[in-house]
C-alpha cells in the first residue's frame, strides 16, 4: 500500500511562519545539515522528508502538529530514531524530531522519574543510576525510551519488574487536534491504557513518567558463548532450567555468529555459535547461586558472566548494533518445544549472512503477573519471545536476508499462537497489527483512536486505523 506525502509545495513564507513560532529549528532539503537530520538508525529506510522540525519542548511539538494538520502533511514522529520498520522518517512529509528533548527529573523518595521523550536509555540510565534506581530499558542503550516503551519494552529487568510500559505511570501527550493532555490512571485513563503497548497511534508523547526500582550499581551479568555443535543441548537445558529461575534473573539465548573479539579464539570468528545472555537484578553474590546451573548448559568457548555495573550491561551490545546497517526485525511468541528448537537451529544454520540472528527472550515473572486487559500489551501467557533479525552492513543482498527472516518467522511461529511483538513486526501491514493485538484488544484500541485521532494523522506506526478508515 503506497503512502501519500504532501499535497502541494511548501512556500518559503509558510515555512518562515512555522520557524517564527518555534524555539527549536527547521531543517529543509538543501540545508547543510539535511542529510544528518533525515538519517535514522536503520539505513534500510532512506527517506527524504520535506521538513524536519527539531523540537526544543512541548510548545514546539504543538506547533509542529498544528502545522502538519493545516498543510495536510504526512507525519513521522522521531525519538531515538531506532524504529526498525522506518516509522521515524518519511518521504515528502514532516518529521517531528524529539531528540533534542532530553530533560529528566528524578524523585528518589517517590522512586519516580519524568523523562522527556527524546532521551535514549543511556541518557535515562545515567540519571536514574545516580540514585541507584532504574526501570526496564532496552538491550541497546542508544534506543530511544519513547517508542520502546509505547510498544511494550523488553529488557534485562523484565522478569523482576515487567515491561517498560508496565512501569509507565503517566505520559504527557500532544493529540492530533493540538491539545496537551496528561494520561494516567485517573485522567484520560483509556488513553493511558492504550499507550502501554498500543504504540504511537494516539498522539505525540512528549514526556513519560516511570516507576523506578533499586537496581545496581553492580549486577551479575554477561555472556556465555557455546559452539554451535552444542546448541541443541544448550537450548534444551536452558528451557528446563528457566522454569525454576528466580524473578531476579532474566535470560536470553542468542543464535548468532561469533564476533571478531579478542576474548574468542580466532578460529571461531564468524562461525555460528549459541550465546547465553543474562542479568541478575539483585545482590551479585546471591546471583552466583542462581546463575550457577546456567553455566553448566554445555562446554563453553568463553564465559564472560560476572559482576559489572548495570550501565555496562545495558550498553554491552552497543558495539554490535551501531547505526548505518540495513535491518529487518520480525517476531513470534512461542513455546520452545523440541520441534521449535529444530526450526530455530535449521534457520540459524541456513542464514545467508553472519550478521543475522535469532533471539529467544525468557518471559514469565513480573511480566506474566500483569492481569490480562490491564494494558494494551496482551501476550502475557507466552513462555518465550523469538526475535528474528536480518542485518547487513549495506544493501547488498538485503532482500535475500529479509526473505530468510520472513520464512524463519513463519516456520517458528507455528510453535506458538501466531502472535507478534508490536515493536518488531517488520512492517505495518494490517495482518501484523492483528497478530499483535487479540480481537477484543484491537477493538478497544480502535475506540481510543476514534477519540484522540479520528483522522489518522498519526499513521506511521503499527497503525490502529480509526473506524472511519477501516
Amino acid at each position: 500500500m503506497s503512502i501519500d506525502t504532501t499535497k502541494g509545495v511548501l512556500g518559503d513564507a509558510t515555512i518562515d511562519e512555522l520557524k517564527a513560532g518555534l524555539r527549536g529549528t527547521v531543517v529543509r532539503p538543501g540545508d547543510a545539515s539535511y542529510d544528518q537530520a533525515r538519517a535514522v538508525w536503520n539505513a534500510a529506510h532512506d527517506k527524504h522528508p520535506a521538513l524536519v522540525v527539531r523540537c526544543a519542548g512541548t510548545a514546539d511539538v504543538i506547533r509542529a502538529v498544528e502545522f502538519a494538520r493545516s498543510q495536510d502533511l504526512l507525519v513521522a514522529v522521531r525519538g531515538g530514531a531506532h524504529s526498525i520498520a522506518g516509522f521515524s522518517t518519511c518521504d515528502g512529509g514532516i518529521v517531528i524530531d524529539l531528540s533534542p528533548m532530553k530533560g529528566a527529573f528524578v524523585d528518589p523518595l517517590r522512586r519516580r522519574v519524568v523523562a522527556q521523550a527524546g532521551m535514549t536509555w543511556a541518557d535515562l540510565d545515567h540519571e536514574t543510576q545516580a540514585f541507584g534506581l532504574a526501570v526496564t530499558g532496552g538491550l541497546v542503550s542508544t534506543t530511544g525510551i519513547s517508542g520502546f516503551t509505547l510498544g511494550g519494552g523488553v529488557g534485562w529487568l523484565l522478569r523482576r519488574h515487567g515491561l517498560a510500559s508496565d512501569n509507565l505511570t503517566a505520559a504527557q501527550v500532544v493529540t492530533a487536534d493540538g491539545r496537551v493532555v496528561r494520561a494516567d490512571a485517573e485522567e484520560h485513563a483509556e488513553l493511558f491504557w492504550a499507550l502501554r503497548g498500543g504504540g504511537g497511534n494516539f498522539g505525540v508523547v512528549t514526556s513519560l513518567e516511570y516507576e523506578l526500582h533499586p537496581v545496581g550499581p553492580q549486577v551479575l551479568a554477561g555472556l556465555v558463548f557455546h559452539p554451535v555443535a552444542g546448541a541443541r543441548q544448550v537450548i534444551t537445558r536452558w528451557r528446563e532450567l528457566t522454569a525454576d529461575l528466580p524473578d531476579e534473573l532474566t535470560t536470553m539465548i542468542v543464535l548468532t555468529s561469533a564476533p571478531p573479539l579478542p576474548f574468542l579464539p580466532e578460529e571461531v570468528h564468524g562461525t555460528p555459535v549459541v550465546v547465553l545472555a543474562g542479568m541478575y537484578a539483585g545482590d551479585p553474590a546471591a546471583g552466583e547461586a542462581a546463575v550457577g546451573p546456567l553455566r553448566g548448559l554445555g562446554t563453553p568457548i568463553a564465559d564472560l558472566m560476572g559482576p559489572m555495573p548495570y550501565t555496562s550491561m545495558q550498553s554491552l551490545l552497543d558495539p554490535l548494533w551501531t547505526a548505518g546497517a540495513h535491518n529487518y526485525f520480525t517476531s513470534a511468541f512461542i513455546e520452545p518445544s523440541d520441534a521449535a528448537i529444530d526450526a530455530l537451529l535449521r534457520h540459524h544454520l541456513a542464514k545467508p549472512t553472519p550478521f543475522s540472528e535469532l533471539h529467544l527472550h525468557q518471559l514469565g515473572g513480573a511480566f506474566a503477573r500483569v492481569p490480562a486487559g490491564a494494558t494494551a500489551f496482551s501476550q502475557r501467557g507466552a513462555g518465550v519471545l523469538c526475535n528474528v533479525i536480518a542485518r547487513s552492513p549495506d544493501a547488498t543482498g538485503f532482500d535475500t536476508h529479509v526473505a530468510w527472516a520472513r520464512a524463519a518467522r513463519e516456520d517458528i511461529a507455528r510453535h506458538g499462537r501466531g502472535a507478534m511483538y508490536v515493536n518488531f513486526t517488520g512492517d505495518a501491514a494490517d495482518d501484523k497489527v492483528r497478530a499483535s493485538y487479540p480481537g477484543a484488544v484491537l477493538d478497544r484500541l480502535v475506540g481510543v483512536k476514534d477519540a484522540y485521532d479520528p483522522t489518522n494523522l498519526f499513521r506511521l506506526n503499527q497503525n490502529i486505523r480509526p473506524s472511519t478508515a477501516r
Side-chain angles (χ1 to χ4, degrees):
M1 181 179 67
S2 61
I3 298 176
D4 64 326
T5 56
T6 58
K7 298 294 180 66
V9 178
L10 297 172
D12 289 342
T14 302
I15 295 174
D16 287 344
E17 183 179 356
L18 169 64
K19 290 180 179 179
L22 298 173
R23 190 161 58 91
T25 58
V26 175
V27 183
R28 304 172 62 185
D31 291 348
S33 60
Y34 177 72
D35 282 339
Q36 180 182 14
R38 72 181 182 87
V40 293
W41 181 83
N42 186 3
H45 305 289
D46 185 21
K47 304 291 188 179
H48 293 78
L51 298 172
V52 178
V53 178
R54 304 193 75 244
C55 298
T58 300
D60 285 358
V61 175
I62 297 170
R63 182 73 184 97
V65 168
E66 291 173 339
F67 183 83
R69 193 175 65 249
S70 69
Q71 299 297 318
D72 199 14
L73 292 173
L74 181 66
V75 175
V77 181
R78 176 183 302 167
H82 268 241
S83 170
I84 304 298
F87 299 141
S88 50
T89 188
C90 61
D91 279 325
I94 182 172
V95 174
I96 301 177
D97 185 0
L98 310 176
S99 63
M101 298 170 55
K102 292 184 178 293
F105 172 74
V106 180
D107 183 340
L109 297 179
R110 293 180 59 242
R111 292 182 180 170
R112 293 286 191 274
V113 60
V114 178
Q116 288 188 301
M119 299 189 86
T120 65
W121 284 107
D123 298 327
L124 188 57
D125 288 338
H126 177 78
E127 298 296 330
T128 61
Q129 277 291 280
F131 303 94
L133 301 170
V135 65
T136 305
L139 303 180
V140 176
S141 73
T142 57
T143 305
I145 66 171
S146 50
F148 175 91
T149 300
L150 298 177
V154 173
W156 296 120
L157 296 174
L158 175 143
R159 286 173 44 78
R160 183 73 176 97
H161 299 299
L163 298 166
S165 58
D166 297 334
N167 292 276
L168 188 68
T169 56
Q172 184 183 77
V173 186
V174 177
T175 62
D177 58 3
R179 289 181 296 149
V180 179
V181 302
R182 174 184 169 86
D184 60 22
E186 303 298 328
E187 302 179 69
H188 297 274
E190 195 68 359
L191 174 60
F192 180 58
W193 170 85
L195 293 175
R196 291 176 293 163
N201 275 280
F202 313 103
V204 183
V205 174
T206 56
S207 68
L208 305 98
E209 180 183 282
Y210 297 98
E211 180 181 2
L212 298 173
H213 309 278
V215 176
Q218 291 286 113
V219 295
L220 183 70
L223 311 172
V224 182
F225 289 78
H226 292 267
V228 73
R232 184 181 303 279
Q233 174 181 302
V234 168
I235 300 173
T236 302
R237 290 185 176 178
W238 171 79
R239 176 187 66 190
E240 294 166 354
L241 288 171
T242 52
D244 297 317
L245 292 181
D247 290 356
E248 289 84 357
L249 182 57
T250 297
T251 64
M252 177 173 72
I253 291 288
V254 181
L255 295 168
T256 185
S257 298
L261 297 175
F263 54 77
L264 295 175
E266 286 189 17
E267 60 266 25
V268 305
H269 290 180
T271 66
V273 292
V274 57
V275 183
L276 168 72
M279 190 188 87
Y280 185 87
D283 180 359
E288 289 286 357
V291 169
L294 294 171
R295 289 185 142 138
L297 295 177
T299 304
I301 301 168
D303 185 337
L304 307 176
M305 190 78 68
M308 67 175 69
Y310 172 70
T311 52
S312 294
M313 187 58 181
Q314 283 288 87
S315 59
L316 189 67
L317 303 179
D318 288 7
L320 301 176
W321 298 96
T322 54
H326 283 56
N327 298 269
Y328 178 89
F329 288 23
T330 185
S331 62
F333 289 94
I334 66 169
E335 297 303 323
S337 63
D338 289 347
I341 294 172
D342 289 342
L344 289 161
L345 295 178
R346 184 168 60 250
H347 291 288
H348 177 41
L349 294 174
K351 65 181 184 176
T353 166
F355 302 100
S356 295
E357 301 184 346
L358 297 106
H359 296 176
L360 300 177
H361 294 268
Q362 177 193 6
L363 303 176
F367 164 87
R369 286 194 292 272
V370 175
T375 73
F377 192 98
S378 309
Q379 313 299 334
R380 301 290 178 172
V384 168
L385 168 61
C386 177
N387 290 332
V388 184
I389 299 171
R391 182 173 170 86
S392 176
D394 52 41
T396 304
F398 186 60
D399 288 347
T400 300
H401 308 333
V402 171
W404 166 83
R406 288 174 173 162
R409 189 267 165 192
E410 291 308 305
D411 190 13
I412 294 164
R414 292 204 298 266
H415 305 285
R417 299 179 180 178
M420 304 184 81
Y421 175 36
V422 72
N423 278 345
F424 292 162
T425 60
D427 55 59
D430 284 349
D431 63 327
K432 307 297 193 303
V433 176
R434 287 192 295 271
S436 301
Y437 304 109
V441 173
L442 182 57
D443 290 345
R444 187 174 173 185
L445 286 168
V446 170
V448 181
K449 184 74 169 181
D450 287 346
Y452 291 92
D453 185 20
T455 65
N456 210 13
L457 179 68
F458 303 112
R459 59 187 180 274
L460 280 184
N461 41 50
Q462 295 86 353
N463 194 226
I464 309 296
R465 291 186 292 162
S467 299
T468 55
R470 298 183 76 78

